[in-house]
C-alpha cells in the first residue's frame, strides 16, 4: 500500500516559500496577535471590460489588508514622461520592469498581499513581468 502524501508544513518548505510571521496593528476584531502572511501577488488578467477591477474590489473587501496596485497607473505616468511610439505603454520595456519592481517592492516593504488588475495580451510581456517577480523570490 502506497504511503499517503501529507500536506507540506511551513517548516518543510524552502525558505523563500515559508510564510513570514509579522505583527499586525491593533484591530478591534483581531486584538493584538501575530499572524502569518504569505508574500503573494494576485494578478487578475482578462479581457477588457471583463470585470477585473470589480473582482479585485471584492477581493480587497474580503482581504482589507491587501494592497491594490493598478499597473495601468504606472503606464499613465510614463506616458506623461516619455513618448510611446505604438500608443500602448505595455510595449515599453521600462513599463514592464517598473510594474514588476513595484509589485515586488510592495510585497517586500509591507509584507501584505498585492492585488493587480491588468490585461496582458502579449504572452512575452506576461512572461517578462512574472519571470522578474519569480526571480525576485515573490
Amino acid at each position: 500500500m502506497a504511503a499517503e502524501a501529507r500536506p507540506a508544513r511551513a517548516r518543510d518548505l524552502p525558505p523563500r516559500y515559508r510564510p513570514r510571521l509579522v505583527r499586525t496593528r491593533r484591530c478591534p476584531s483581531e486584538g493584538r496577535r501575530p499572524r502569518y502572511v504569505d508574500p503573494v501577488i494576485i494578478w487578475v488578467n482578462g479581457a477588457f471590460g471583463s470585470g477585473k477591477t470589480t473582482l479585485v474590489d471584492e477581493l480587497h473587501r474580503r482581504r482589507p489588508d491587501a494592497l491594490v496596485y493598478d499597473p495601468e497607473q504606472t503606464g499613465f505616468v510614463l506616458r506623461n514622461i516619455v513618448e510611446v511610439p505604438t500608443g500602448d505603454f505595455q510595449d515599453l520595456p521600462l513599463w514592464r520592469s517598473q510594474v514588476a519592481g513595484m509589485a515586488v517592492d510592495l510585497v517586500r516593504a509591507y509584507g501584505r498581499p498585492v492585488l493587480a488588475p491588468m490585461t496582458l495580451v502579449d504572452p512575452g510581456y506576461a512572461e517578462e513581468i512574472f519571470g522578474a517577480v519569480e526571480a525576485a523570490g515573490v
Side-chain angles (χ1 to χ4, degrees):
M1 182 176 222
E4 287 185 34
R6 64 182 175 91
R9 290 180 296 207
R11 70 173 182 242
D12 297 333
L13 298 171
R16 75 181 244 194
Y17 295 114
R18 288 184 197 146
R20 295 178 298 152
L21 185 63
V22 297
R23 295 270 176 202
T24 58
R25 285 184 255 184
R26 190 172 189 93
C27 175
S29 63
E30 290 185 309
R32 190 176 174 144
R33 59 187 170 160
R35 64 184 176 89
Y36 286 98
V37 175
D38 288 322
V40 65
I41 298 168
I42 300 171
W43 191 287
V44 181
N45 195 18
F48 300 103
S50 64
K52 296 177 297 298
T53 302
T54 303
L55 175 59
V56 164
D57 289 345
E58 178 62 20
L59 290 171
H60 189 240
R61 186 184 70 76
R62 294 178 186 211
R63 284 292 301 264
D65 62 318
L67 301 171
V68 176
Y69 167 53
D70 188 347
E72 195 167 33
Q73 298 301 319
T74 302
F76 295 152
V77 169
L78 283 174
R79 199 179 270 164
N80 288 327
I81 299 170
V82 298
E83 184 179 331
V84 183
T86 64
D88 184 357
F89 51 75
Q90 289 191 20
D91 293 332
L92 297 173
L94 180 58
W95 178 82
R96 298 188 299 274
S97 68
Q98 290 295 306
V99 165
M102 177 66 86
V104 166
D105 288 346
L106 285 169
V107 168
R108 286 183 177 162
Y110 296 96
R112 294 160 52 186
V114 173
L115 308 172
M118 186 72 204
T119 299
L120 290 173
V121 176
D122 187 316
Y125 294 172
E127 179 59 36
E128 186 177 339
I129 292 169
F130 301 148
V133 168
E134 185 177 16
V138 176

